Amino acid sequence: EAGVTQFPSHSVIEKGQTVTLRCDPISGHDNLYWYRRVMGKEIKFLLHFVKESKQDESGMPNNRFLAERTGGTYSTLKVQPAELEDSGVYFCASSQPHTWNTEAFFGQGTRLTVV
Amino acid sequence: AQSVTQLDSHVSVSEGTPVLLRCNYSSSYSPSLFWYVQHPNKGLQLLLKYTSAATLVKGINGFEAEFKKSETSFHLTKPSAHMSDAAEYFCVVSESANDYKLSFGAGTTVTVRA
């Protein structure tokens, strides 16, 4: 069974440009999460989808970030326009429905560098 | 509110010696606690989890952790380190049954010397 897959693995963009990160969850996983680790900081929650619906986006830093999950399958996270402080590693995770302590499976992350 | 403190940012051990990674948490509720590991260029992998059953939890690759409520600790141990244990380890807490958010510690990088 394929795990959580994230594209690209690395991205280097200039300040002011737009970048779109993609996450393909494990098939059948209704829950999809985005997390971020900026340099020297802890991994922080960004948002949570259940199927195509945003359940919680309280961790999104500002309105330059837009997450979508059309059709309840893969998800994208767009940063527009990117700023230097957006640099970091963006993780996606997915889990099966029901209980909260169901294991979340993480992707390998996308390393974003804004220069 | 919940938080996690990993007491060591870096731990260096010799191959074959014990590994101890320390974690303290604070939580308003009865938490669930996890340890995740990230090897270079890999995703985060679950090592073990505590969910209010046995306080001594056994995980993969010979790791185990003990939940001590009185000390609000969830330290991770392994009796004998292997070179393949070199990675970054994260202590993670999730609160009540309706809280799906994971709160991560800052991470502990483990180096294993031959």
Side-chain angles (χ1 to χ4, degrees):
Chain A
E1 177 182 300
V4 177
T5 309
Q6 293 185 244
F7 304 96
S9 57
H10 294 85
S11 180
V12 181
I13 62 171
E14 292 184 350
K15 176 182 173 180
Q17 289 186 323
T18 298
V19 63
T20 300
L21 313 181
R22 172 169 169 149
C23 170
D24 286 76
I26 293 172
S27 178
H29 282 191
D30 288 347
N31 293 292
L32 187 148
Y33 315 85
W34 284 97
Y35 288 81
R36 176 176 78 163
R37 189 183 196 188
V38 296
M39 185 76 71
K41 303 281 189 178
E42 293 89 349
I43 298 171
K44 294 286 191 185
F45 168 84
L46 294 178
L47 88 159
H48 171 215
F49 283 99
V50 176
K51 297 183 180 179
E52 67 275 11
S53 299
K54 291 178 187 175
Q55 290 294 110
D56 184 347
E57 51 185 331
S58 62
M60 295 287 262
N62 51 61
N63 59 10
R64 294 186 293 103
F65 289 76
L66 175 64
E68 295 180 321
R69 191 182 182 194
T70 306
T73 55
Y74 70 91
S75 174
T76 58
L77 180 64
K78 180 189 290 187
V79 185
Q80 180 181 30
E83 299 289 343
L84 299 179
E85 63 265 25
D86 301 332
S87 296
V89 181
Y90 290 76
F91 292 100
C92 176
S94 71
S95 69
Q96 292 179 330
H98 63 81
T99 59
W100 59 280
N101 61 357
T102 300
E103 177 181 350
F105 293 85
F106 282 80
Q108 82 280 12
T110 293
R111 182 173 296 278
L112 174 64
T113 302
V114 183
V115 298
Chain B
Q2 61 211 23
S3 68
V4 180
T5 302
Q6 292 184 242
L7 299 170
D8 307 290
S9 60
H10 186 253
V11 169
S12 181
V13 298
S14 297
E15 189 175 22
T17 64
V19 181
L20 169 63
L21 305 184
R22 298 179 294 166
C23 172
N24 287 101
Y25 70 92
S26 65
S27 176
S28 303
Y29 304 93
S30 296
S32 275
L33 295 156
F34 309 79
W35 277 96
Y36 279 85
V37 61
Q38 185 180 24
H39 290 90
N41 301 314
K42 299 287 187 182
L44 292 157
Q45 180 185 20
L46 180 67
L47 274 179
L48 50 81
K49 62 182 178 182
Y50 165 77
T51 55
S52 75
T55 56
L56 183 63
V57 183
K58 293 187 182 299
I60 61 171
N61 300 335
F63 285 94
E64 63 181 37
E66 185 171 9
F67 173 71
K68 292 186 176 180
K69 187 174 181 179
S70 61
E71 298 176 9
T72 60
S73 69
F74 191 57
H75 302 335
L76 181 71
T77 60
K78 182 173 180 177
S80 176
H82 190 271
M83 296 299 289
S84 60
D85 295 327
E88 189 166 18
Y89 293 77
F90 297 93
C91 184
V92 181
V93 63
S94 178
E95 280 205 356
S96 65
N98 294 319
D99 190 343
Y100 42 80
K101 296 179 192 176
L102 300 178
S103 293
F104 284 77
T108 299
T109 299
V110 172
T111 302
V112 182
R113 304 184 303 271

